Amino acid sequence: MQINIKTSADNQVRVSNLTQKLPGGAKENIIARIALGYSLSTGRRFKENEFGIYDSQGKEYKEHILFDSTYRDFYVALICQAYGISKNNELIPKYIKLHIDHGLEAIGYLFENNPQYTFFDFLIENLGKGIDAIEDAPVSLDAVKNNNQHIDKRSFTGPIDIKIGYNPKTQEPITFCFNNTKIYNNQHIAVAGKSGSGKSQFALEFLRQLVSKTQGQVNFLFLDFKGVSNEDKKKMEGFFNETHTKCINAPDEPFPLNPLSFIDNINDRNKLVGINKFVDIIAKYSNIGKKQQQTLKDAVQEAFIQHTTGEYPSLKEVYDLILEKVGDTRDTLTEIMGRLSEYELFASKINNPSEFLNNNYYLSLSGELDSTVRFTSVFLIINYIFNVFSNMGGTEVIDDHREMRYVLMIDEAHDLFREKKSLEILEVILRKIRSYGVSVFLLSQGIAEYNTANFDFSQECETSFLLPINDMANTKAINKFLGLTVKDGNTAIHNLEKLGNGQAISNMKEYPKTEVFNVVQYWKESNK
């Protein structure tokens, strides 16, 4: 498709006049490109019945002169985005002509009515508007691009058969292959069970086998919202040693991650979008206002500018820059950033960016931490994981098995479900991360917590395990949690009535979904 156009007769004069206002030596195709972009920026969109509003008796532009091969696709893409059409649409040359004529007419009017107005004024004003539009655009919850990400992550190809429990009658083991795409649409898992039901031991045994079956190539992060005491930590030493897991008890030691390192520190546009995403996460959990958000954004941008070697700034550096800007003023922004940096929740310098995701961590979030700090830090971590794997791209499905990279396990997930600010982000992550070889494993004390006003998290988890819960009478919620029909639900309720601690029913495909089985427990299996 050739894009050869002629402007209107009136605009032929404007092409010459406006080109003379450009720096010396500028060719007449430059003003046509500026006119096209300016017209699109005004929001003007033409209908097909307007194709004849400008004549074609003026300046002629051949495609190779108008755009040259370097920029042609860029300008075609602008038209495609503006009109929602494909790059092969035959109307593209007509739209380009219309917008060049319209842009020349509009720019010409500006200069004709403002004698002191220079082209430098015009460019500064409109480039500023474009930058502001990028900065003020609503922050998407999706991952942001990072073309400068240098992270190598191991992965495991093949079936991952986890022994999930035993048939109570025959004592035969029950195997669950959660990455079998022939029977499971995603690898997310939901577990519900009251305190003492055995869900935590079940989760630890799942992770122990995961590490063993994949030779440590699939790694995990276990987020523990209730915190682990020194006594519990000693009891879990066997698990930590066997799975090569480092237990980090916040805020006693920093988490080996810089939450700003998901941002592209080379490409300016990607960097700006990433900074906006970071600011949005802080704003969601600290309720800072627009002015404070701008202060934070300016401080983060300045911190990146100061690191010319490609290293990432720390939260402490950002906090110090905020203090320089606000002086003696203390508010919610200085409070949240101060606590995030003063607690030293995150490492200030990371030598090897691949190290975090290629190791296993158990993060204990002590109740001593303020809830705002706890949730902000958790979502900075989750955002990092989501963003990094999104930029890595999807994993392959080989012989009906998803290639797996990582498991994000969240204990006491109902704490997150109670926070309305976190629901939207969690929803996006569950939907988007499934093809990246990442499994999200949620543990909660009940099933009602999974079903929020706008979203049912259990429905995004392909497999559910139900251990004893307090609300056994909520048949509707139980059926929904396990994906049961009314008939199967009646059988399930009957079986739930005799369910003991350490037992469960599930909708896993390898075992009858209403039948009771004994779940594996780490403390038992590790002693065999």
Side-chain angles (χ1 to χ4, degrees), residues 458-473:
S458 66
Q459 299 306 294
E460 286 296 326
C461 296
E462 180 74 6
T463 311
S464 301
F465 293 91
L466 182 56
L467 284 74
I469 56 174
N470 290 322
D471 192 8
M472 289 288 197

Side-chain angles (χ1 to χ4, degrees), residues 143 149 151 153 219-223 255 257-259 261-262 277 281 356-357 359 361 363 377-393 405-410 429 433 436-440:
Q149 178 173 287
I151 296 175
K153 176 68 188 80
N219 298 99
F220 66 82
L221 170 62
F222 191 119
L223 291 173
F255 195 70
L257 168 70
N258 183 338
S261 60
F262 77 94
K277 181 78 175 287
I281 291 173
F356 166 55
L357 292 176
N359 284 282
Y361 293 95
L363 178 58
S377 57
V378 162
F379 274 97
L380 287 172
I381 294 170
I382 292 176
N383 172 71
Y384 175 85
I385 292 171
F386 174 48
N387 216 87
V388 166
F389 283 118
S390 296
N391 277 282
M392 284 183 186
R405 291 167 168 155
Y406 205 74
V407 170
L408 173 61
M409 184 170 285
I410 305 176
I429 290 172
I433 209 169
Y436 301 136
V438 179
S439 168
V440 179

Side-chain angles (χ1 to χ4, degrees), residues 289-302:
K290 289 292 183 183
K291 184 178 179 181
Q292 295 164 314
Q293 290 179 43
Q294 188 61 52
T295 300
L296 176 57
K297 186 186 299 184
D298 292 342
V300 178
Q301 287 177 311
E302 179 61 30

Side-chain angles (χ1 to χ4, degrees), residues 168-183:
K169 296 177 181 177
T170 66
Q171 297 307 308
E172 292 181 356
I174 302 165
T175 303
F176 168 54
C177 187
F178 72 108
N179 70 325
N180 185 342
T181 60
K182 201 169 183 178
I183 57 178

Side-chain angles (χ1 to χ4, degrees), residues 257-475:
L257 168 70
N258 183 338
L260 290 167
S261 60
F262 77 94
I263 299 171
D264 188 332
N265 60 354
I266 299 296
N267 182 284
D268 286 339
R269 189 186 187 286
N270 291 346
K271 184 191 298 182
L272 182 57
V273 175
I275 290 172
N276 284 345
K277 181 78 175 287
F278 172 77
V279 171
D280 190 57
I281 291 173
I282 300 297
K284 277 185 181 295
Y285 297 97
S286 58
N287 293 318
I288 60 175
K290 289 292 183 183
K291 184 178 179 181
Q292 295 164 314
Q293 290 179 43
Q294 188 61 52
T295 300
L296 176 57
K297 186 186 299 184
D298 292 342
V300 178
Q301 287 177 311
E302 179 61 30
F304 270 93
I305 290 170
Q306 292 182 5
H307 281 266
T308 56
T309 59
E311 293 183 349
Y312 283 92
S314 67
L315 293 185
K316 178 67 165 58
E317 289 173 296
V318 173
Y319 176 56
D320 289 342
L321 286 168
I322 290 172
L323 293 182
E324 286 182 19
K325 292 176 181 296
V326 302
D328 295 330
T329 305
R330 294 295 178 267
D331 54 18
T332 50
L333 173 60
T334 56
E335 185 179 356
I336 183 64
M337 291 303 296
R339 281 180 289 170
L340 283 172
S341 59
E342 288 166 5
Y343 277 137
E344 295 186 352
L345 290 172
F346 297 101
S348 58
K349 187 175 182 180
I350 305 296
N351 294 322
N352 181 3
S354 299
E355 187 175 339
F356 166 55
L357 292 176
N358 282 293
N359 284 282
N360 304 322
Y361 293 95
Y362 187 103
L363 178 58
S364 168
L365 292 151
S366 169
E368 298 174 10
L369 288 171
D370 174 271
S371 62
T372 301
V373 174
R374 290 172 77 207
F375 285 111
T376 303
S377 57
V378 162
F379 274 97
L380 287 172
I381 294 170
I382 292 176
N383 172 71
Y384 175 85
I385 292 171
F386 174 48
N387 216 87
V388 166
F389 283 118
S390 296
N391 277 282
M392 284 183 186
T395 56
E396 294 186 56
V397 174
I398 301 173
D399 295 330
D400 297 323
H401 292 90
R402 168 73 65 186
E403 180 184 5
M404 295 301 297
R405 291 167 168 155
Y406 205 74
V407 170
L408 173 61
M409 184 170 285
I410 305 176
D411 197 8
E412 307 297 324
H414 49 270
D415 284 341
L416 292 184
F417 299 151
R418 291 191 189 112
E419 287 288 319
K420 291 182 180 179
K421 300 168 189 174
S422 67
L423 300 181
E424 203 174 8
I425 298 175
L426 271 177
E427 177 187 349
V428 170
I429 290 172
L430 282 168
R431 283 192 288 102
K432 301 276 187 175
I433 209 169
R434 61 178 63 180
S435 64
Y436 301 136
V438 179
S439 168
V440 179
F441 195 125
L442 302 171
L443 299 124
S444 184
Q445 292 184 7
I447 53 177
E449 291 87 350
Y450 280 97
N451 191 7
T452 65
N454 300 314
F455 185 71
D456 188 346
F457 284 90
S458 66
Q459 299 306 294
E460 286 296 326
C461 296
E462 180 74 6
T463 311
S464 301
F465 293 91
L466 182 56
L467 284 74
I469 56 174
N470 290 322
D471 192 8
M472 289 288 197
N474 194 345
T475 56

